[in-house]
């Protein structure tokens, strides 16, 4: 459902049933030389967005010049390659450039949208009791 609230565009996403539980997972378009639609968990606990390395390869994002890092998580450290500016779009709400860490140590069917870049570009409201996520385009 799309709404214009106080002059700002917003989109309400129902939570998605994934592995037996409901999560705030939304479709985003990620761009390299090609584009792909990726389903991503909106995660306020994640600092940086995390996508499977195959996505970078599939859409032509060159990781040769990416920063190689080891990210800490619940399961320990994982090797990742950070691209500082990757273009993503959220349906009719617009696009933004965010840093994304690409790794093989994440499920290939769902990415993670972390705070850096994404939460700065969009207003995010979790409505757990309704199983809804509201994403609002920020006015600039």
């Amino acid at each position: 459902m799309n709404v214009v609230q106080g002059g700002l565009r917003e989109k309400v996403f129902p939570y998605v049933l994934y592995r037996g539980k409901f999560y705030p997972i939304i479709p985003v378009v990620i761009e390299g030389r090609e584009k792909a639609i990726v389903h991503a968990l909106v995660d306020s606990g994640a600092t940086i967005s995390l996508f499977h390395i195959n996505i970078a390869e599939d859409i032509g994002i060159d990781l040769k010049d990416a920063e190689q890092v080891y990210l800490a998580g619940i399961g320990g450290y994982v090797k990742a390659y950070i691209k500082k500016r990757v273009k993503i779009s959220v349906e009719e709400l617009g696009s933004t450039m965010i840093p994304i860490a690409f790794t093989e140590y994440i499920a290939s069917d769902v990415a993670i949208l972390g705070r850096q870049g994404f939460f700065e570009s969009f207003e995010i409201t979790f409505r757990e009791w309704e199983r809804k996520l509201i994403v609002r385009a920020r006015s600039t």
Side-chain angles (χ1 to χ4, degrees):
M1 174 167 75
N2 296 326
V3 179
V4 176
Q5 179 103 2
L8 298 178
R9 293 169 298 157
E10 72 178 35
K11 173 84 176 168
V12 178
F13 295 94
Y15 279 23
V16 173
L17 184 61
Y18 177 73
R19 297 184 181 176
K21 294 187 180 183
F22 287 92
Y23 293 97
I25 295 173
I26 66 172
V28 295
V29 175
I30 179 173
E31 294 185 35
R33 284 192 308 273
E34 305 287 331
K35 295 179 183 182
I37 297 173
V38 177
H39 290 86
L41 171 70
V42 178
D43 186 352
S44 64
T47 302
I48 192 166
S49 296
L50 197 60
F51 283 57
H52 197 278
I53 201 163
N54 288 347
I55 294 168
E57 293 168 1
D58 291 347
I59 64 170
I61 293 177
D62 186 3
L63 297 178
K64 289 181 188 131
D65 63 345
E67 177 185 1
Q68 183 177 323
V69 297
Y70 288 88
L71 301 174
I74 293 173
Y77 290 90
V78 297
K79 184 162 86 173
Y81 301 90
I82 297 178
K83 291 294 278 192
K84 303 269 189 215
R85 295 180 50 82
V86 179
K87 186 175 182 180
I88 65 157
S89 303
V90 179
E91 293 199 9
E92 301 89 22
L93 300 177
S95 62
T96 189
M97 301 293 274
I98 67 170
I100 295 180
F102 293 94
T103 183
E104 62 183 298
Y105 303 103
I106 184 175
S108 60
D109 58 342
V110 174
I112 295 173
L113 282 173
R115 292 186 315 274
Q116 276 185 2
F118 186 71
F119 280 56
E120 295 159 0
S121 299
F122 298 98
E123 179 183 331
I124 310 298
T125 304
F126 296 92
R127 299 192 72 167
E128 287 293 317
W129 65 95
E130 294 180 313
R131 292 186 182 152
K132 291 181 182 174
L133 178 77
I134 302 167
V135 180
R136 188 172 291 125
R138 286 193 52 209
S139 61
T140 51

